[in-house]
Structures are given as C-alpha cells and as structure tokens.
Amino acid sequence: MDDAVGMNRDDLLFVPIGGCDEIGMNLNLFHAVGRWLMVDCGINFAGEGLAGVDLLLPDPAFIAERRDALEALVLTHGHEDHIGAVAQLWPQLRCPIYATPFTAALVHGKLAEAGLSGEAEIREVPVAGSFETGPFKVRYVPLAHSIAEGHGLLIETPLGRIFHTGDWKLDHAPQIGAPSTPEALKAIGDAGVRAMIGDSTNVFNPRASGSEEAVRESLLDLLYMYSGRVVITTFASNLARLKTVAAVARAHDRTLCVAGRSLDRVIAAGRATGWLDDWPQTVAIEDAMALPRDKLLILCTGAQGEPRAALSRMARGENARLSLEPGDVVIFSAKIIPGNEISVARVVNQLARRDVDVVTERDAFVHVSGHP
C-alpha cells in the first residue's frame, strides 16, 4: 500500500498531472504492478494573464518522489505541449525516454541546448513500433495529426489494455505519413480495451476536421490574388503545413525564405528523418529583400502573436532584414489558441497600420485542425 495516495500495488491507475481539462502542459502517468509509466512532458504558454511569465510547466513532484518505480517517459509526438518540458524536468526523473525518430530528433536538440546531451538516454522506436518495459507493453499506433509521426499508444498491462490516443484526427490525405483509418481503430476496440484516454479538443464541433490536402489547394488558389510579398505564419512544428507552404511557393514560382529559429530546428529534423527530403532551396534572410516582391514567400514564426517572433518584429518595423509594405499580405495559417487573442489582435493592428493585408482562418480556408 502507498499510504500517500491510498493505492495498492496491483491498482491500475491513470494520474493526469497536466493536460486534462486544459490545453497544453501534457503529462500523464499510468500505474500497474507497483510500476509507473509517464506519457508526454509538455509546456503551456502563459498568455496575457501572467505578466513576466512566458512558459508554464507541469509539477512533477508526485512522480519525482517515486522515480525509482518510474519505468520510462514515452512521447507520443513532437509538439511543444507534449515535449517542451523534457529538458527542464528530466533531471528530476532520470528515466529512459522513448520516442519515434522525428520526435527523438527534436528532443535531442532540446537536451543539447540544456547541456544534457550525454546524460539522458533516448531509445528510438520505429514508426508503428513497439517495446516492453517492466509490466508495460507499448505499441505505437500511427494517427494523423498536424506534425510528423503522430501516434496513439496501446498500453498492455497485466491488469488490462489502455488506449491513449494522444493528439489525433482522421485525414484521408495528411501529406505526411500514411492515413489512419477507422478500421484500424475499430480493430483495437474489438480486441478489448479496458480504458481509453482520448483527445477531446474539438468535442463540441459536429463537423469533420478536414484534410491538409484541402488547405494546400485553398492556399494555391488564394495566392493568385496577391502580387506583393506573401508571408505565411503557422506553428513551427506543423511539418505537414511547412511542406504545404513549400509546395505553394514552388507552384507560384516564389522563392522561400524561412524566418524563425524554431522553424529552422523543425525543418532540420524533418530533413534528417526523411519527411522533408524535397525541401526547396531557400533564400537567406539578409538576401530576401533583393528579390522582386512577387517572387518572395516568407515562412515565419509568430502565429500566436509572440512578441519576439519574426512576424511580430516585422509588424512593428523592428526587423532590419525583413520588412513589409502596402500590398503585401500576411496569412495566419493557424488556429488562435484560446488566451492568445489579444496578442494576435495586437499584431494584426500593427500590420493594418502598415496597409498590409491580413488573412486568417475567419477570412479564408487557410487552416485545418489536427484534432478530431
């Protein structure tokens, strides 16, 4: 008996430390036969309500006190709300980390920045692969999401099978990876599942999420309306969208310029793992303004109005190497995360003062959710 929480060694438990009933900061614990398995370790962005605070981290104290019984940290995919706290919290956990190749590449970069390269053990699992650790048998279940190598986890324990969906959707043409099917998910249920931990982000939306292929077609059509510079901002980790933007630039004979360190990191990981093997030749930021306005497409960070992101600095006129003028257009190819509305509105207003056109998902079909 663990008197601190009143549980028995043989209890099958799900303990959400973060990410349930909120967006971001995912950290989930599963317990069986006296051992623990952690799934994901993410951050959340503080927003306008917490002055001077940029990031929020889940509190790992509960599992840090029991780290001798912690088998591993398993990562479902590479979004910041699922891996962003690994480098900060791993020193309190000291457990092996399991991830598929693209996610592992992103985590290696984070650990290197934190000076932990040689300390944390990352065990790479192939796409749709599986592994065993302690009483847990874990199978990665490929599911479409707005990033490469999105997976759910089928976790087998002596006390029953759990299906942890991670973030997911059904997409017949995801642009990155093979599409997941209702039949594959039905087979999991038919084999017997004791509990499912599910992504409920769009639970009150009765419509289908839509396909990444449709976003590509919509952006292709939209760019015919503009002869000035085109700026597209999106989530840096949305590898499928990055691939879409590159295809749109190529189709419109525009040279791509990438602005933002997080984009540089994700693109490098995507190319290293084969997901962006057709990535085009890009123009350096310092050379971009020399191109004719109708021959340039800037892919940049700042879709959530982050003050230090590339788009925000362009909107304020503070980017010495990239500038915008009347007739240019900025396309927000992303959903505004709840809590970021004021930050995004501030950037939109600054762009409007410069007579720069702005297109959001309210104006055109420029974004599709990665959730069901």
Side-chain angles (χ1 to χ4, degrees), residues 290-369:
L291 292 174
R293 293 171 62 201
D294 64 346
K295 295 298 181 183
L296 179 64
L297 194 160
I298 301 169
L299 171 63
C300 70
T301 56
Q304 300 303 308
E306 303 93 320
R308 293 192 294 272
L311 177 60
S312 294
R313 289 186 287 113
M314 280 190 277
R316 295 193 300 266
E318 296 175 358
N319 193 320
R321 297 179 295 178
L322 294 175
S323 60
L324 298 173
E325 56 190 286
D328 295 342
V329 61
V330 173
I331 300 170
F332 284 78
S333 185
K335 178 183 176 63
I336 300 174
I337 296 174
N340 293 342
E341 294 88 352
I342 294 175
S343 299
V344 173
R346 184 180 297 118
V347 174
V348 170
N349 287 341
Q350 290 164 340
L351 292 168
R353 293 188 191 104
R354 294 177 176 276
D355 288 329
V356 173
D357 290 342
V358 174
V359 178
T360 73
E361 65 173 343
R362 292 188 293 270
D363 307 307
F365 185 58
V366 294
H367 175 65
V368 67
S369 177

Coordinates of all heavy atoms in Angstrom, one line a residue, residues 290-369:
A290 N 16.1 41.6 -51.7 CA 16.6 42.0 -53.0 C 15.7 41.3 -54.1 O 15.8 41.7 -55.3 CB 18.1 41.5 -53.1
L291 N 14.9 40.3 -53.7 CA 14.1 39.7 -54.7 C 12.9 40.6 -55.1 O 12.4 41.3 -54.2 CB 13.5 38.3 -54.2 CG 14.6 37.2 -53.9 CD1 13.9 36.1 -53.2 CD2 15.2 36.8 -55.2
P292 N 12.4 40.4 -56.3 CA 11.1 41.1 -56.6 C 10.0 40.7 -55.7 O 10.0 39.5 -55.3 CB 10.8 40.7 -58.1 CG 12.1 40.2 -58.6 CD 12.9 39.7 -57.5
R293 N 9.1 41.6 -55.3 CA 8.1 41.3 -54.3 C 7.2 40.2 -54.7 O 6.8 39.4 -53.9 CB 7.3 42.6 -54.1 CG 8.0 43.7 -53.4 CD 7.2 45.0 -53.4 NE 6.0 44.8 -52.6 CZ 5.0 45.6 -52.7 NH1 4.9 46.6 -53.6 NH2 3.9 45.4 -51.9
D294 N 7.0 40.0 -56.0 CA 6.1 38.9 -56.4 C 6.8 37.6 -56.6 O 6.2 36.6 -57.0 CB 5.4 39.3 -57.7 CG 6.4 39.4 -58.9 OD1 7.6 39.5 -58.7 OD2 5.9 39.5 -60.1
K295 N 8.1 37.6 -56.2 CA 8.9 36.3 -56.2 C 9.3 35.8 -54.9 O 10.1 34.9 -54.8 CB 10.1 36.5 -57.1 CG 9.8 36.8 -58.6 CD 9.1 35.7 -59.3 CE 8.8 35.9 -60.7 NZ 8.0 34.9 -61.3
L296 N 8.7 36.4 -53.8 CA 9.2 36.0 -52.5 C 8.0 35.5 -51.6 O 6.9 36.1 -51.6 CB 9.8 37.2 -51.8 CG 10.3 37.0 -50.3 CD1 11.4 36.0 -50.3 CD2 10.7 38.3 -49.7
L297 N 8.2 34.4 -50.9 CA 7.2 33.9 -49.9 C 8.0 33.7 -48.6 O 9.0 33.0 -48.6 CB 6.6 32.6 -50.4 CG 5.3 32.2 -49.6 CD1 4.5 31.2 -50.4 CD2 5.7 31.5 -48.2
I298 N 7.6 34.4 -47.6 CA 8.3 34.3 -46.3 C 7.5 33.4 -45.4 O 6.3 33.6 -45.1 CB 8.4 35.7 -45.6 CG1 9.2 36.6 -46.5 CG2 9.1 35.6 -44.2 CD1 9.2 38.1 -46.1
L299 N 8.1 32.3 -44.9 CA 7.5 31.4 -43.9 C 8.1 31.8 -42.6 O 9.3 31.8 -42.4 CB 7.8 30.0 -44.3 CG 7.5 28.9 -43.2 CD1 6.0 28.8 -43.0 CD2 8.0 27.5 -43.7
C300 N 7.3 32.2 -41.6 CA 7.8 32.7 -40.4 C 7.1 32.3 -39.1 O 5.9 31.8 -39.2 CB 7.9 34.3 -40.4 SG 6.3 35.1 -40.3
T301 N 7.7 32.4 -38.0 CA 7.1 32.2 -36.7 C 6.2 33.4 -36.3 O 6.4 34.5 -36.8 CB 8.1 31.9 -35.6 OG1 9.1 33.0 -35.6 CG2 8.9 30.7 -35.9
G302 N 5.4 33.2 -35.3 CA 4.6 34.3 -34.8 C 3.1 34.2 -34.9 O 2.3 35.1 -34.8
A303 N 2.6 33.0 -35.2 CA 1.2 32.8 -35.5 C 0.3 33.0 -34.2 O -0.9 33.3 -34.4 CB 0.9 31.4 -36.0
Q304 N 0.9 33.0 -33.1 CA 0.2 33.3 -31.8 C 0.5 34.7 -31.3 O 0.2 34.9 -30.1 CB 0.5 32.2 -30.8 CG 0.1 30.8 -31.3 CD -1.3 30.7 -31.7 OE1 -2.2 31.1 -30.9 NE2 -1.6 30.2 -32.9
G305 N 1.1 35.5 -32.1 CA 1.4 36.9 -31.6 C 2.5 37.0 -30.6 O 2.6 38.0 -29.9
E306 N 3.4 36.0 -30.6 CA 4.5 36.1 -29.7 C 5.4 37.3 -29.9 O 5.8 37.5 -31.1 CB 5.4 34.8 -29.8 CG 4.7 33.5 -29.7 CD 4.1 32.9 -31.0 OE1 3.7 33.7 -31.8 OE2 4.2 31.7 -31.1
P307 N 5.6 38.1 -28.9 CA 6.3 39.4 -29.1 C 7.7 39.4 -29.8 O 8.0 40.3 -30.5 CB 6.4 40.0 -27.7 CG 5.3 39.3 -26.9 CD 5.2 37.9 -27.5
R308 N 8.4 38.3 -29.5 CA 9.8 38.2 -30.0 C 9.9 37.4 -31.3 O 11.0 37.2 -31.9 CB 10.7 37.6 -29.0 CG 10.9 38.5 -27.8 CD 12.0 38.0 -26.9 NE 11.8 36.7 -26.3 CZ 11.1 36.6 -25.1 NH1 10.7 37.6 -24.5 NH2 10.9 35.4 -24.6
A309 N 8.7 36.9 -31.8 CA 8.8 36.1 -33.0 C 9.0 37.0 -34.3 O 8.8 38.2 -34.2 CB 7.4 35.4 -33.2
A310 N 9.4 36.4 -35.4 CA 9.7 37.1 -36.6 C 8.6 38.0 -37.1 O 8.8 39.1 -37.5 CB 10.2 36.1 -37.7
L311 N 7.4 37.5 -37.1 CA 6.2 38.2 -37.6 C 6.0 39.5 -36.8 O 5.8 40.6 -37.3 CB 5.0 37.4 -37.7 CG 3.7 38.1 -38.1 CD1 3.9 38.7 -39.5 CD2 2.5 37.2 -38.1
S312 N 6.0 39.3 -35.4 CA 5.8 40.5 -34.6 C 6.8 41.6 -34.8 O 6.5 42.8 -34.8 CB 5.8 40.1 -33.1 OG 4.7 39.2 -32.8
R313 N 8.1 41.2 -35.0 CA 9.1 42.2 -35.3 C 8.9 42.9 -36.6 O 9.2 44.1 -36.8 CB 10.5 41.6 -35.1 CG 10.8 41.2 -33.7 CD 12.3 40.7 -33.5 NE 12.4 39.4 -34.1 CZ 13.2 39.0 -35.1 NH1 13.8 40.0 -35.8 NH2 13.2 37.8 -35.5
M314 N 8.5 42.1 -37.6 CA 8.1 42.7 -38.9 C 7.0 43.7 -38.8 O 7.0 44.8 -39.4 CB 7.8 41.6 -39.9 CG 9.0 41.0 -40.6 SD 8.6 39.9 -42.0 CE 8.1 38.4 -41.1
A315 N 5.9 43.3 -38.0 CA 4.8 44.1 -37.9 C 5.1 45.5 -37.2 O 4.5 46.5 -37.5 CB 3.7 43.4 -37.1
R316 N 6.1 45.4 -36.2 CA 6.5 46.6 -35.5 C 7.5 47.4 -36.3 O 7.9 48.5 -35.9 CB 7.1 46.3 -34.2 CG 6.1 45.7 -33.2 CD 6.6 45.6 -31.8 NE 7.9 44.8 -31.7 CZ 7.9 43.5 -31.3 NH1 6.8 42.9 -31.1 NH2 9.1 42.9 -31.3
G317 N 8.0 46.9 -37.4 CA 9.1 47.5 -38.2 C 10.4 47.5 -37.5 O 11.3 48.3 -37.8
E318 N 10.6 46.4 -36.7 CA 11.9 46.3 -36.0 C 12.8 45.3 -36.5 O 13.9 45.0 -36.0 CB 11.6 45.9 -34.5 CG 10.8 47.0 -33.8 CD 10.4 46.6 -32.4 OE1 10.7 45.4 -32.0 OE2 9.8 47.4 -31.6
N319 N 12.4 44.6 -37.6 CA 13.3 43.6 -38.3 C 14.1 44.3 -39.3 O 13.6 44.7 -40.4 CB 12.4 42.5 -38.9 CG 13.3 41.3 -39.2 OD1 14.4 41.4 -39.8 ND2 12.8 40.1 -39.0
A320 N 15.4 44.4 -39.1 CA 16.2 45.2 -40.0 C 16.4 44.5 -41.4 O 16.7 45.2 -42.3 CB 17.6 45.4 -39.4
R321 N 16.2 43.2 -41.4 CA 16.4 42.5 -42.7 C 15.2 42.1 -43.4 O 15.2 41.8 -44.6 CB 17.2 41.2 -42.3 CG 18.6 41.5 -41.8 CD 19.4 40.2 -41.4 NE 18.7 39.5 -40.4 CZ 19.1 38.3 -39.9 NH1 20.2 37.7 -40.5 NH2 18.5 37.7 -39.0
L322 N 14.0 42.1 -42.8 CA 12.7 41.8 -43.4 C 11.7 42.9 -43.2 O 11.5 43.3 -42.0 CB 12.2 40.4 -42.9 CG 13.0 39.2 -43.3 CD1 12.3 38.0 -42.6 CD2 13.1 39.0 -44.8
S323 N 11.1 43.4 -44.2 CA 10.2 44.5 -44.0 C 8.9 44.2 -44.9 O 9.0 43.5 -45.8 CB 10.8 45.8 -44.3 OG 11.2 45.9 -45.7
L324 N 7.8 44.9 -44.5 CA 6.6 44.8 -45.2 C 6.1 46.2 -45.6 O 6.4 47.1 -44.9 CB 5.5 44.1 -44.3 CG 5.9 42.6 -43.9 CD1 4.8 42.1 -42.9 CD2 5.9 41.7 -45.1
E325 N 5.3 46.2 -46.7 CA 4.8 47.5 -47.2 C 3.4 47.3 -47.7 O 2.9 46.1 -47.9 CB 5.8 48.1 -48.2 CG 6.1 47.1 -49.4 CD 7.2 47.7 -50.2 OE1 7.0 48.6 -51.0 OE2 8.3 47.1 -50.1
P326 N 2.7 48.4 -48.0 CA 1.3 48.2 -48.6 C 1.3 47.3 -49.8 O 2.2 47.4 -50.7 CB 1.0 49.7 -49.0 CG 1.8 50.5 -48.0 CD 3.1 49.8 -47.8
G327 N 0.3 46.5 -49.9 CA 0.2 45.5 -51.0 C 0.7 44.1 -50.6 O 0.4 43.1 -51.3
D328 N 1.5 44.0 -49.6 CA 2.0 42.7 -49.1 C 0.8 42.1 -48.3 O -0.1 42.7 -47.9 CB 3.2 42.8 -48.2 CG 4.4 43.3 -48.9 OD1 4.4 43.3 -50.2 OD2 5.4 43.8 -48.3
V329 N 0.9 40.8 -48.0 CA -0.2 40.1 -47.3 C 0.5 39.1 -46.3 O 1.5 38.5 -46.6 CB -1.1 39.3 -48.3 CG1 -0.3 38.2 -49.1 CG2 -2.3 38.6 -47.5
V330 N -0.2 39.0 -45.1 CA 0.2 38.1 -44.1 C -0.9 37.1 -43.9 O -2.1 37.5 -43.6 CB 0.6 38.8 -42.8 CG1 0.8 37.7 -41.7 CG2 1.8 39.6 -42.9
I331 N -0.7 35.8 -44.1 CA -1.7 34.8 -43.9 C -1.4 34.0 -42.6 O -0.3 33.4 -42.5 CB -1.6 33.8 -45.1 CG1 -1.9 34.6 -46.4 CG2 -2.6 32.7 -44.9 CD1 -1.7 33.7 -47.7
F332 N -2.3 34.0 -41.7 CA -2.2 33.3 -40.5 C -2.8 31.9 -40.7 O -4.0 31.6 -40.6 CB -3.0 34.0 -39.3 CG -2.4 35.2 -38.8 CD1 -2.4 36.4 -39.4 CD2 -1.7 35.1 -37.6 CE1 -1.8 37.5 -38.9 CE2 -1.1 36.2 -37.0 CZ -1.1 37.4 -37.7
S333 N -1.9 30.9 -41.0 CA -2.3 29.6 -41.4 C -2.3 28.7 -40.1 O -1.5 27.8 -40.0 CB -1.4 29.0 -42.4 OG -1.9 27.7 -42.8
A334 N -3.1 29.2 -39.1 CA -3.1 28.5 -37.8 C -4.3 29.0 -37.0 O -4.8 30.0 -37.3 CB -1.8 28.9 -37.0
K335 N -4.7 28.1 -36.1 CA -5.8 28.5 -35.2 C -5.2 29.3 -34.0 O -4.1 29.1 -33.6 CB -6.4 27.2 -34.6 CG -7.5 27.5 -33.6 CD -8.0 26.1 -33.0 CE -9.1 26.4 -31.9 NZ -10.3 27.0 -32.5
I336 N -6.0 30.3 -33.6 CA -5.5 31.1 -32.4 C -5.8 30.3 -31.2 O -7.0 30.0 -30.9 CB -6.3 32.5 -32.4 CG1 -6.0 33.3 -33.7 CG2 -5.9 33.3 -31.2 CD1 -6.8 34.6 -33.8
I337 N -4.8 30.0 -30.4 CA -5.0 29.2 -29.2 C -5.8 30.1 -28.2 O -5.4 31.3 -28.0 CB -3.6 28.8 -28.6 CG1 -3.0 27.8 -29.6 CG2 -3.8 28.2 -27.2 CD1 -1.6 27.5 -29.2
P338 N -6.8 29.6 -27.5 CA -7.5 30.4 -26.5 C -6.6 31.0 -25.5 O -5.7 30.3 -25.0 CB -8.4 29.3 -25.8 CG -8.7 28.3 -26.9 CD -7.4 28.2 -27.7
G339 N -6.7 32.3 -25.3 CA -5.8 33.0 -24.4 C -4.9 33.9 -25.2 O -4.3 34.8 -24.6
N340 N -4.7 33.6 -26.5 CA -3.7 34.4 -27.3 C -4.4 35.4 -28.2 O -3.8 36.1 -29.0 CB -2.9 33.5 -28.2 CG -2.0 32.6 -27.4 OD1 -1.7 32.9 -26.2 ND2 -1.5 31.5 -28.0
E341 N -5.7 35.6 -28.0 CA -6.5 36.5 -28.9 C -5.9 37.9 -28.9 O -5.8 38.6 -29.9 CB -8.0 36.5 -28.5 CG -8.7 35.2 -28.8 CD -8.6 34.2 -27.6 OE1 -7.8 34.5 -26.6 OE2 -9.3 33.2 -27.6
I342 N -5.6 38.4 -27.7 CA -5.2 39.8 -27.6 C -3.8 40.0 -28.2 O -3.6 41.0 -29.0 CB -5.1 40.2 -26.1 CG1 -6.5 40.3 -25.5 CG2 -4.4 41.6 -25.9 CD1 -6.6 40.6 -24.0
S343 N -2.9 39.0 -28.0 CA -1.6 39.1 -28.7 C -1.7 39.1 -30.2 O -1.0 39.9 -30.8 CB -0.7 37.9 -28.2 OG -0.5 37.9 -26.8
V344 N -2.5 38.2 -30.7 CA -2.7 38.2 -32.2 C -3.3 39.5 -32.7 O -2.9 40.0 -33.7 CB -3.5 36.9 -32.6 CG1 -3.8 37.0 -34.1 CG2 -2.8 35.7 -32.2
A345 N -4.3 40.0 -32.0 CA -5.0 41.2 -32.4 C -4.0 42.4 -32.5 O -4.1 43.2 -33.3 CB -6.2 41.5 -31.5
R346 N -3.1 42.4 -31.5 CA -2.1 43.5 -31.5 C -1.3 43.4 -32.8 O -1.0 44.5 -33.4 CB -1.2 43.3 -30.3 CG -0.2 44.4 -30.1 CD 0.6 44.2 -28.8 NE -0.2 44.3 -27.6 CZ -0.4 43.3 -26.8 NH1 0.3 42.1 -27.0 NH2 -1.1 43.4 -25.7
V347 N -0.8 42.2 -33.2 CA 0.0 42.1 -34.4 C -0.9 42.5 -35.6 O -0.4 43.2 -36.5 CB 0.5 40.7 -34.5 CG1 1.2 40.5 -35.8 CG2 1.5 40.4 -33.4
V348 N -2.1 42.0 -35.7 CA -3.0 42.3 -36.8 C -3.2 43.9 -36.9 O -3.1 44.4 -38.0 CB -4.3 41.6 -36.7 CG1 -5.3 42.2 -37.7 CG2 -4.2 40.1 -36.8
N349 N -3.3 44.6 -35.8 CA -3.5 46.0 -35.8 C -2.2 46.7 -36.3 O -2.3 47.7 -37.1 CB -3.8 46.5 -34.4 CG -5.3 46.2 -34.0 OD1 -6.1 45.9 -34.9 ND2 -5.5 46.2 -32.7
Q350 N -1.1 46.2 -35.9 CA 0.2 46.8 -36.4 C 0.4 46.6 -37.9 O 0.9 47.5 -38.6 CB 1.3 46.2 -35.6 CG 1.4 46.6 -34.1 CD 2.3 45.7 -33.3 OE1 2.6 44.6 -33.6 NE2 2.7 46.2 -32.1
L351 N 0.0 45.4 -38.4 CA 0.0 45.2 -39.8 C -0.9 46.1 -40.6 O -0.6 46.6 -41.6 CB -0.3 43.7 -40.1 CG 0.8 42.7 -39.6 CD1 0.2 41.3 -39.7 CD2 2.1 42.8 -40.5
A352 N -2.1 46.3 -40.0 CA -3.1 47.1 -40.7 C -2.6 48.6 -40.8 O -2.9 49.2 -41.8 CB -4.4 47.1 -39.9
R353 N -1.9 49.1 -39.8 CA -1.4 50.4 -39.8 C -0.4 50.6 -41.0 O -0.1 51.7 -41.4 CB -0.7 50.8 -38.5 CG -1.7 50.9 -37.4 CD -1.1 51.5 -36.1 NE -1.9 51.3 -35.0 CZ -1.8 50.4 -34.0 NH1 -0.8 49.6 -34.0 NH2 -2.7 50.4 -33.0
R354 N 0.2 49.5 -41.4 CA 1.2 49.5 -42.5 C 0.5 49.2 -43.8 O 1.2 49.0 -44.8 CB 2.3 48.5 -42.2 CG 3.2 48.8 -41.0 CD 4.2 47.7 -40.7 NE 5.0 48.2 -39.7 CZ 6.1 49.0 -39.8 NH1 6.5 49.4 -41.0 NH2 6.8 49.4 -38.8
D355 N -0.8 49.1 -43.8 CA -1.6 48.8 -45.0 C -1.2 47.4 -45.6 O -1.2 47.2 -46.8 CB -1.4 49.9 -46.1 CG -2.2 51.2 -45.7 OD1 -3.2 51.1 -45.1 OD2 -1.7 52.3 -46.1
V356 N -0.9 46.5 -44.7 CA -0.6 45.1 -45.1 C -1.9 44.3 -45.0 O -2.5 44.4 -43.9 CB 0.5 44.5 -44.3 CG1 0.7 43.1 -44.6 CG2 1.8 45.3 -44.5
D357 N -2.3 43.6 -46.0 CA -3.4 42.8 -45.9 C -3.2 41.6 -44.9 O -2.1 41.1 -44.8 CB -3.8 42.2 -47.3 CG -4.3 43.2 -48.3 OD1 -4.7 44.3 -47.8 OD2 -4.3 43.0 -49.5
V358 N -4.3 41.2 -44.3 CA -4.2 40.1 -43.3 C -5.3 39.1 -43.6 O -6.5 39.5 -43.8 CB -4.3 40.6 -41.9 CG1 -4.4 39.4 -40.9 CG2 -3.2 41.5 -41.5
V359 N -5.0 37.8 -43.7 CA -5.9 36.8 -43.9 C -5.8 35.8 -42.8 O -4.7 35.3 -42.5 CB -5.7 36.0 -45.3 CG1 -6.6 34.9 -45.4 CG2 -5.7 37.0 -46.4
T360 N -6.9 35.5 -42.1 CA -6.9 34.5 -41.0 C -7.9 33.4 -41.4 O -8.6 33.5 -42.5 CB -7.4 35.1 -39.7 OG1 -8.8 35.4 -39.7 CG2 -6.6 36.4 -39.4
E361 N -8.1 32.4 -40.6 CA -9.0 31.3 -40.9 C -10.4 31.8 -40.9 O -11.3 31.1 -41.4 CB -8.8 30.2 -39.8 CG -9.2 30.5 -38.4 CD -9.1 29.3 -37.5 OE1 -9.2 28.2 -38.0 OE2 -9.1 29.6 -36.3
R362 N -10.7 33.0 -40.4 CA -12.1 33.5 -40.5 C -12.3 34.1 -41.9 O -13.5 34.3 -42.2 CB -12.3 34.6 -39.4 CG -12.3 34.1 -38.0 CD -12.7 35.2 -37.0 NE -11.7 36.2 -36.9 CZ -10.7 36.2 -36.1 NH1 -10.5 35.2 -35.2 NH2 -9.8 37.2 -36.1
D363 N -11.3 34.4 -42.6 CA -11.4 35.0 -43.9 C -11.3 34.1 -45.1 O -11.9 34.3 -46.1 CB -10.3 36.1 -44.1 CG -10.3 37.1 -42.9 OD1 -11.3 37.7 -42.6 OD2 -9.2 37.3 -42.3
A364 N -10.6 33.0 -44.9 CA -10.4 32.0 -46.0 C -10.0 30.7 -45.4 O -9.6 30.6 -44.2 CB -9.3 32.5 -46.9
F365 N -10.1 29.6 -46.2 CA -9.8 28.3 -45.7 C -8.2 28.1 -45.7 O -7.7 27.6 -46.7 CB -10.4 27.2 -46.6 CG -10.3 25.8 -46.1 CD1 -10.7 25.5 -44.8 CD2 -9.7 24.9 -46.9 CE1 -10.5 24.2 -44.3 CE2 -9.5 23.6 -46.4 CZ -9.9 23.2 -45.1
V366 N -7.6 28.6 -44.7 CA -6.1 28.6 -44.6 C -5.6 27.7 -43.5 O -4.4 27.7 -43.2 CB -5.5 30.0 -44.5 CG1 -5.9 30.8 -45.7 CG2 -6.1 30.7 -43.2
H367 N -6.5 27.0 -42.8 CA -6.0 26.2 -41.7 C -7.0 25.0 -41.5 O -8.2 25.2 -41.7 CB -5.9 27.0 -40.4 CG -5.6 26.2 -39.2 ND1 -4.4 25.5 -39.1 CD2 -6.3 25.8 -38.1 CE1 -4.3 24.8 -37.9 NE2 -5.5 25.0 -37.3
V368 N -6.5 23.9 -41.1 CA -7.4 22.8 -40.7 C -6.8 22.2 -39.4 O -5.6 22.2 -39.2 CB -7.4 21.7 -41.8 CG1 -6.1 21.0 -42.0 CG2 -8.5 20.7 -41.5
S369 N -7.7 21.9 -38.5 CA -7.3 21.4 -37.2 C -6.6 20.0 -37.3 O -6.9 19.2 -38.1 CB -8.5 21.3 -36.3 OG -8.2 20.7 -35.0

